[in-house]
Amino acid sequence: MRTLIKGGTIVNADSMVRADVLVDGERITTIGLQIDVPVDRTIDATGKWVIPGAIDIHTHMELPFGGTFAKDTFETGTRAAAFGGTTTIIDFAVQPRGGTLRQGLDTWHEKADGKACIDYGFHCIVSDMRDDLLPEMDRLVDEGVTTFKLFTAYPGVFLSDDGAIFKAMKQSAHNGGLIMMHAENGPVIDVVAADLVARGTTDPIGHGLARYSIFEGEATNRVIRLAQAAGAPVYIVHLSAREALNAVRAARDEGLPAFAETCPQYLFLSLDDLGHGFEGAKFVCSPPLRPADHQDELWKGLVHDDLQVVSTDHCPFDFHGQKELGRGDFRKIPNGLPGVEDRVDLIHDGGVAGGRITPSRFVEIVSTAPARLFGLTRKGVVGAGFDADLVVYDPARRHTISASTHHMDVDYSCYEGREVQGGSDVVLSRGKVIVEGGQWLGKAGDGRFIKRERSSFLR
Ligand SMILES: [Zn+2]
């Protein structure tokens, strides 16, 4: 099967040029000024961009949390991702407490196998960092699961103490893996949260009030310094606060291999959304939404490459029946927001259309940098030899985000009624058109597990 994408402007992280793209089978074979060869299918991209399929390295399909499960399955979640121009996700396989990392991976392979519509990889969530896991980490790095997420939050569930985090970092320094950190000071947050509840603040706003941005800044600096001492790189997930960004900036200015992502919710939503009584439960995630003045700071972080990636932390719970578990006590609201479908268009809208970043930087943030940092060596570039994960992107098209039209399996949208500029017209996954003109043409089970290489930190 040969497909020719004609007349578009190829946008890569390092270039923007008018050229044709020839796809043969699953790969891109040729980029040319004017390709005229017999093909099975020609896609007209005149006036549009051709970008590498976006990569969301932070999703939680079917994550168990607080007595329920994140609603999207690998089938519904990856299909929704594809509609939004995302052609690869990396999801988090959770180690059962007392069990091994491999047990978590086995469970997640079962969830994804035969169901995923786009390619996927896994990180491990380390719930219970024990010494016997250290050699297991070495083996997993060799097998293509190269990244491990630890937490300074959620005592009794996911929290690792500093000694355990340090051991994991030291291990990654010698096996080439990468430690990802959820950096908030969980034990202190729990003290403040209990205090708020005791004084009668039980609505969702309490979630935002209890989790001070100082606690994120402190934990971010702490884990960066632990990584420095261990001689290891570190990646901060879902960075939300100015204090945390400043810790990353300081480290990077010193030349340390400290990396961080933020998420659309921290760029577009704010603490105010957590108000409005229990409706605010729709916006409960951790770290929480911050006062609106943090947003500009995060955009600056993206402009200056102190933040390298935007991913979603996609973890959807229905408002009805799931978020409602926390009525009367914000601590019981399942943490997480839907977003896997909206990321690319939001970042295009706020970033490129908003005049903050170039089209190339947009591509770098949503695709190329995630590919390099997370060892997806055949993805993230429109170039000969790379996987034909491609999006014909219309940077001018406007559409309105709504739960009534989105494809995520969740009963609300955080961006209900927001008009955005930019949309994916045609989406190819390894050479096969899976979305075209708003129609689903893909198939559950066509997504493959990707064994990842070790991270490349060079830009
Ligand atoms: Zn997460």
mmCIF file of all heavy atoms in Angstrom, residues 58-60 63 92 125 149 151 182 237-238 261 286 312-315, ligand 1:
data_model
loop_
_atom_site.group_PDB
_atom_site.id
_atom_site.type_symbol
_atom_site.label_atom_id
_atom_site.label_comp_id
_atom_site.label_asym_id
_atom_site.label_seq_id
_atom_site.Cartn_x
_atom_site.Cartn_y
_atom_site.Cartn_z
ATOM 1 N N HIS A 58 1.709 10.584 28.820
ATOM 2 C CA HIS A 58 1.166 10.514 30.185
ATOM 3 C C HIS A 58 -0.346 10.293 30.144
ATOM 4 O O HIS A 58 -1.134 11.229 30.098
ATOM 5 C CB HIS A 58 1.500 11.809 30.926
ATOM 6 C CG HIS A 58 1.244 11.745 32.403
ATOM 7 N ND1 HIS A 58 1.936 12.511 33.318
ATOM 8 C CD2 HIS A 58 0.385 11.010 33.137
ATOM 9 C CE1 HIS A 58 1.513 12.253 34.539
ATOM 10 N NE2 HIS A 58 0.562 11.352 34.456
ATOM 11 N N THR A 59 -0.740 9.011 30.105
ATOM 12 C CA THR A 59 -2.172 8.672 30.154
ATOM 13 C C THR A 59 -2.410 7.580 31.194
ATOM 14 O O THR A 59 -1.495 6.846 31.579
ATOM 15 C CB THR A 59 -2.695 8.164 28.794
ATOM 16 O OG1 THR A 59 -2.079 6.900 28.488
ATOM 17 C CG2 THR A 59 -2.404 9.158 27.667
ATOM 18 N N HIS A 60 -3.648 7.503 31.629
ATOM 19 C CA HIS A 60 -4.054 6.485 32.613
ATOM 20 C C HIS A 60 -5.362 5.857 32.159
ATOM 21 O O HIS A 60 -6.437 6.228 32.622
ATOM 22 C CB HIS A 60 -4.263 7.113 33.992
ATOM 23 C CG HIS A 60 -3.048 7.733 34.587
ATOM 24 N ND1 HIS A 60 -2.018 6.997 35.122
ATOM 25 C CD2 HIS A 60 -2.696 9.030 34.745
ATOM 26 C CE1 HIS A 60 -1.083 7.819 35.596
ATOM 27 N NE2 HIS A 60 -1.459 9.058 35.374
ATOM 28 N N LEU A 63 -7.318 3.274 34.968
ATOM 29 C CA LEU A 63 -6.543 3.315 36.219
ATOM 30 C C LEU A 63 -7.476 3.125 37.409
ATOM 31 O O LEU A 63 -8.473 3.821 37.528
ATOM 32 C CB LEU A 63 -5.837 4.671 36.360
ATOM 33 C CG LEU A 63 -5.075 4.862 37.677
ATOM 34 C CD1 LEU A 63 -3.733 4.142 37.634
ATOM 35 C CD2 LEU A 63 -4.866 6.331 38.011
ATOM 36 N N PHE A 92 0.672 4.223 32.125
ATOM 37 C CA PHE A 92 1.385 3.828 33.349
ATOM 38 C C PHE A 92 0.851 2.505 33.885
ATOM 39 O O PHE A 92 -0.319 2.407 34.266
ATOM 40 C CB PHE A 92 1.215 4.910 34.420
ATOM 41 C CG PHE A 92 1.988 6.172 34.113
ATOM 42 C CD1 PHE A 92 1.432 7.172 33.334
ATOM 43 C CD2 PHE A 92 3.265 6.356 34.619
ATOM 44 C CE1 PHE A 92 2.144 8.333 33.048
ATOM 45 C CE2 PHE A 92 3.981 7.519 34.340
ATOM 46 C CZ PHE A 92 3.422 8.511 33.550
ATOM 47 N N ILE A 125 4.604 2.404 37.216
ATOM 48 C CA ILE A 125 4.396 3.145 38.470
ATOM 49 C C ILE A 125 4.906 2.257 39.586
ATOM 50 O O ILE A 125 4.469 1.107 39.727
ATOM 51 C CB ILE A 125 2.907 3.487 38.676
ATOM 52 C CG1 ILE A 125 2.550 4.736 37.869
ATOM 53 C CG2 ILE A 125 2.595 3.702 40.167
ATOM 54 C CD1 ILE A 125 1.131 5.222 38.031
ATOM 55 N N LYS A 149 7.906 5.687 37.388
ATOM 56 C CA LYS A 149 7.360 6.861 38.073
ATOM 57 C C LYS A 149 7.244 6.582 39.561
ATOM 58 O O LYS A 149 6.687 5.558 39.971
ATOM 59 C CB LYS A 149 5.982 7.189 37.494
ATOM 60 C CG LYS A 149 5.307 8.409 38.096
ATOM 61 C CD LYS A 149 3.947 8.590 37.414
ATOM 62 C CE LYS A 149 3.149 9.735 37.955
ATOM 63 N NZ LYS A 149 1.757 9.698 37.427
ATOM 64 N N PHE A 151 6.550 8.627 43.540
ATOM 65 C CA PHE A 151 5.703 9.696 44.089
ATOM 66 C C PHE A 151 6.236 10.185 45.432
ATOM 67 O O PHE A 151 6.649 9.380 46.276
ATOM 68 C CB PHE A 151 4.280 9.170 44.357
ATOM 69 C CG PHE A 151 3.518 8.737 43.142
ATOM 70 C CD1 PHE A 151 3.862 7.577 42.459
ATOM 71 C CD2 PHE A 151 2.438 9.485 42.692
ATOM 72 C CE1 PHE A 151 3.143 7.172 41.337
ATOM 73 C CE2 PHE A 151 1.708 9.086 41.576
ATOM 74 C CZ PHE A 151 2.054 7.933 40.896
ATOM 75 N N HIS A 182 6.260 12.349 40.471
ATOM 76 C CA HIS A 182 5.125 13.176 40.907
ATOM 77 C C HIS A 182 5.622 13.897 42.155
ATOM 78 O O HIS A 182 5.818 13.277 43.192
ATOM 79 C CB HIS A 182 3.911 12.302 41.225
ATOM 80 C CG HIS A 182 2.719 13.074 41.745
ATOM 81 N ND1 HIS A 182 1.456 12.889 41.267
ATOM 82 C CD2 HIS A 182 2.610 14.034 42.695
ATOM 83 C CE1 HIS A 182 0.604 13.715 41.899
ATOM 84 N NE2 HIS A 182 1.294 14.408 42.782
ATOM 85 N N VAL A 237 6.753 15.087 36.249
ATOM 86 C CA VAL A 237 5.475 14.991 35.536
ATOM 87 C C VAL A 237 4.546 16.116 35.979
ATOM 88 O O VAL A 237 4.707 16.695 37.063
ATOM 89 C CB VAL A 237 4.785 13.608 35.750
ATOM 90 C CG1 VAL A 237 5.609 12.509 35.104
ATOM 91 C CG2 VAL A 237 4.532 13.311 37.207
ATOM 92 N N HIS A 238 3.596 16.397 35.123
ATOM 93 C CA HIS A 238 2.513 17.377 35.364
ATOM 94 C C HIS A 238 2.896 18.541 36.280
ATOM 95 O O HIS A 238 2.278 18.788 37.298
ATOM 96 C CB HIS A 238 1.232 16.682 35.867
ATOM 97 C CG HIS A 238 1.373 15.727 37.004
ATOM 98 N ND1 HIS A 238 2.098 16.005 38.142
ATOM 99 C CD2 HIS A 238 0.855 14.485 37.169
ATOM 100 C CE1 HIS A 238 2.001 14.971 38.946
ATOM 101 N NE2 HIS A 238 1.273 14.047 38.389
ATOM 102 N N GLU A 261 7.354 18.245 32.203
ATOM 103 C CA GLU A 261 6.194 18.469 31.346
ATOM 104 C C GLU A 261 5.181 19.305 32.121
ATOM 105 O O GLU A 261 5.183 19.305 33.348
ATOM 106 C CB GLU A 261 5.536 17.131 30.980
ATOM 107 C CG GLU A 261 4.898 16.458 32.203
ATOM 108 C CD GLU A 261 4.252 15.099 31.961
ATOM 109 O OE1 GLU A 261 4.502 14.485 30.918
ATOM 110 O OE2 GLU A 261 3.506 14.660 32.855
ATOM 111 N N SER A 286 -4.440 16.178 40.486
ATOM 112 C CA SER A 286 -3.283 16.505 41.323
ATOM 113 C C SER A 286 -2.018 16.484 40.489
ATOM 114 O O SER A 286 -1.802 15.512 39.763
ATOM 115 C CB SER A 286 -3.142 15.494 42.460
ATOM 116 O OG SER A 286 -4.217 15.651 43.349
ATOM 117 N N THR A 312 -0.969 14.908 28.788
ATOM 118 C CA THR A 312 -2.305 15.224 29.334
ATOM 119 C C THR A 312 -2.561 14.769 30.769
ATOM 120 O O THR A 312 -3.390 15.342 31.441
ATOM 121 C CB THR A 312 -3.423 14.595 28.476
ATOM 122 O OG1 THR A 312 -3.248 13.177 28.464
ATOM 123 C CG2 THR A 312 -3.417 15.162 27.079
ATOM 124 N N ASP A 313 -1.910 13.685 31.216
ATOM 125 C CA ASP A 313 -2.340 13.050 32.470
ATOM 126 C C ASP A 313 -3.810 12.630 32.347
ATOM 127 O O ASP A 313 -4.555 12.680 33.327
ATOM 128 C CB ASP A 313 -2.118 13.987 33.665
ATOM 129 C CG ASP A 313 -2.129 13.244 34.988
ATOM 130 O OD1 ASP A 313 -2.165 11.997 34.990
ATOM 131 O OD2 ASP A 313 -2.106 13.920 36.041
ATOM 132 N N HIS A 314 -4.190 12.230 31.140
ATOM 133 C CA HIS A 314 -5.581 11.819 30.858
ATOM 134 C C HIS A 314 -6.025 10.733 31.834
ATOM 135 O O HIS A 314 -5.444 9.644 31.877
ATOM 136 C CB HIS A 314 -5.651 11.282 29.424
ATOM 137 C CG HIS A 314 -6.991 10.750 29.018
ATOM 138 N ND1 HIS A 314 -8.054 11.566 28.691
ATOM 139 C CD2 HIS A 314 -7.450 9.477 28.882
ATOM 140 C CE1 HIS A 314 -9.107 10.816 28.357
ATOM 141 N NE2 HIS A 314 -8.763 9.538 28.469
ATOM 142 N N CYS A 315 -7.052 11.023 32.614
ATOM 143 C CA CYS A 315 -7.525 10.086 33.637
ATOM 144 C C CYS A 315 -8.978 10.445 33.939
ATOM 145 O O CYS A 315 -9.286 11.088 34.932
ATOM 146 C CB CYS A 315 -6.645 10.223 34.882
ATOM 147 S SG CYS A 315 -6.899 8.918 36.095
HETATM 148 ZN ZN ZN B 1 -0.619 10.827 36.058
#
